């Protein structure tokens, strides 16, 4: 059974389109994350939600809008896709948020490889 | 200076070799430290946390030097299955709320050959 799942696995689309990526976790975790791994392989946090509440919002264009309908799901909608949005997007979850000195393990989904043409 | 810096490699070693990776971080207020492993076209997976006193998990030993802001990973008796990219990860608070985020290094690629 997959702990953190993402759909679709691959997404190829034209510039200017709007697309969504879905993420679900069946671990009973409270906290979920979206990361972007670009062609240079840097993995960077984009957003984090805890119990459906946005707690981390890094400097991300407002074309990116996360939505958490419940604590097991975190979706990412991207408007007006640009070439630079091409990357692998990873969803992750953890039992509780990373806070102070608490050591919290994050579990990652398999990634969604987005290619914007 | 990048927040987390690693030698990208690749490190090419024969099976059975001992190999060490280093990592430096710039934020002196960093709270926790980890090594993640990422196989080609797969998601990152936690390998081990890194504690101030150093810690060992089987063939893997991690060390932390807070004064020098330096983390290391030693792999003994390398196996073919150890071939992967090893990501140095640092946790630091991002806001007064106390919520922290993980900052990933670019990774060091290890290739173990027969």
């Amino acid at each position: 059974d997959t702990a953190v799942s993402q759909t679709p696995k691959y997404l190829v689309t034209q510039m200017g389109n709007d697309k969504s990526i879905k993420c679900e976790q069946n671990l009973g975790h409270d906290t979920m994350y979206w990361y972007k791994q670009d062609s240079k392989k840097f993995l960077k946090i984009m957003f984090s939600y805890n119990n459906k509440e946005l707690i981390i919002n890094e400097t991300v264009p407002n074309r990116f809008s996360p939505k958490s309908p419940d604590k097991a799901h975190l979706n990412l909608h991207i408007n007006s896709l640009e070439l630079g949005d091409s990357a692998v997007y990873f969803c992750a979850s953890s039992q509780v948020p990373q806070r102070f000195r608490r050591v919290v393990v994050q579990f990652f989904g398999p990634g969604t490889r987005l290619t914007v043409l | 200076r990048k927040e987390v810096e690693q030698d990208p490699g690749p490190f090419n070693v024969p099976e059975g070799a001992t190999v060490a990776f280093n990592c430096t971080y710039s934020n002196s207020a960093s709270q926790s430290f980890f090594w993640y492993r990422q196989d080609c076209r797969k998601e990152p997976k936690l390998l081990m946390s890194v504690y101030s006193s150093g810690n060992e998990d089987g063939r893997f030993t991690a060390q932390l030097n807070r004064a020098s802001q330096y983390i290391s990973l030693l792999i003994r008796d390398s196996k073919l299955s150890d071939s992967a990219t090893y990501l140095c990860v640092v946790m630091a608070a991002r806001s007064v709320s106390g919520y922290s985020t993980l900052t990933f290094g670019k990774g060091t690629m290890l290739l173990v050959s027969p």
Side-chain angles (χ1 to χ4, degrees):
Chain A
D1 287 340
T2 306
V4 183
S5 59
Q6 295 179 228
T7 53
K9 191 168 183 181
Y10 299 96
L11 185 53
V12 181
T13 188
Q14 301 285 336
M15 255 191 335
N17 284 349
D18 303 338
K19 291 292 179 186
S20 291
I21 308 171
K22 294 180 187 296
C23 178
E24 177 180 359
Q25 53 93 5
N26 62 6
L27 296 165
H29 288 171
D30 285 348
T31 311
M32 296 184 74
Y33 312 81
W34 276 113
Y35 287 87
K36 177 181 179 180
Q37 189 169 38
D38 60 24
S39 58
K40 294 180 181 170
K41 304 299 184 187
F42 277 109
L43 191 63
K44 290 185 180 175
I45 181 76
M46 299 173 72
F47 304 101
S48 177
Y49 272 72
N50 184 52
N51 264 322
K52 303 193 296 176
E53 178 193 346
L54 181 67
I55 58 171
I56 299 283
N57 185 351
E58 292 291 282
T59 308
V60 177
N62 57 16
R63 297 182 295 105
F64 291 78
S65 50
K67 279 190 174 53
S68 182
D70 55 64
K71 72 175 191 177
H73 295 84
L74 180 61
N75 303 324
L76 183 65
H77 187 76
I78 316 171
N79 288 327
S80 303
L81 277 154
E82 300 178 356
L83 294 176
D85 298 333
S86 295
V88 181
Y89 292 84
F90 287 101
C91 176
S93 74
S94 62
Q95 191 166 16
V96 292
Q98 309 268 167
R99 199 165 184 179
F100 306 117
R101 290 190 177 272
R102 180 192 287 157
V103 175
V104 175
V105 178
Q106 291 188 19
F107 295 85
F108 283 78
T112 295
R113 188 171 294 272
L114 171 66
T115 303
V116 182
L117 303 174
Chain B
R1 183 181 172 187
K2 292 191 180 70
E3 289 191 65
V4 180
E5 290 207 65
Q6 297 180 249
D7 180 345
F11 283 53
N12 288 283
V13 304
E15 264 187 299
T18 295
V19 62
F21 306 136
N22 303 321
C23 166
T24 56
Y25 60 95
S26 60
N27 184 351
S28 59
S30 296
Q31 299 157 329
S32 302
F33 310 88
F34 309 90
W35 283 101
Y36 273 70
R37 170 193 169 131
Q38 187 172 24
D39 292 291
C40 187
R41 300 178 81 86
K42 297 283 191 182
E43 72 273 22
K45 291 183 180 175
L46 178 67
L47 179 66
M48 58 197 301
S49 301
V50 187
Y51 301 115
S52 296
S53 54
N55 49 300
E56 191 174 303
D57 183 0
R59 298 180 293 109
F60 299 84
T61 301
Q63 298 276 356
L64 167 65
N65 184 325
R66 281 190 186 269
S68 303
Q69 296 181 199
Y70 169 98
I71 305 158
S72 66
L73 177 69
L74 182 79
I75 306 176
R76 289 183 300 278
D77 188 23
S78 299
K79 312 287 183 197
L80 294 176
S81 57
D82 293 335
S83 296
T85 296
Y86 291 82
L87 305 172
C88 177
V89 185
V90 172
M91 187 180 89
R94 288 299 199 206
S95 69
V96 295
S97 68
Y99 289 116
S100 303
T101 58
L102 299 183
T103 299
F104 286 76
K106 195 172 173 178
T108 298
M109 184 182 289
L110 172 65
L111 300 171
V112 182
S113 53

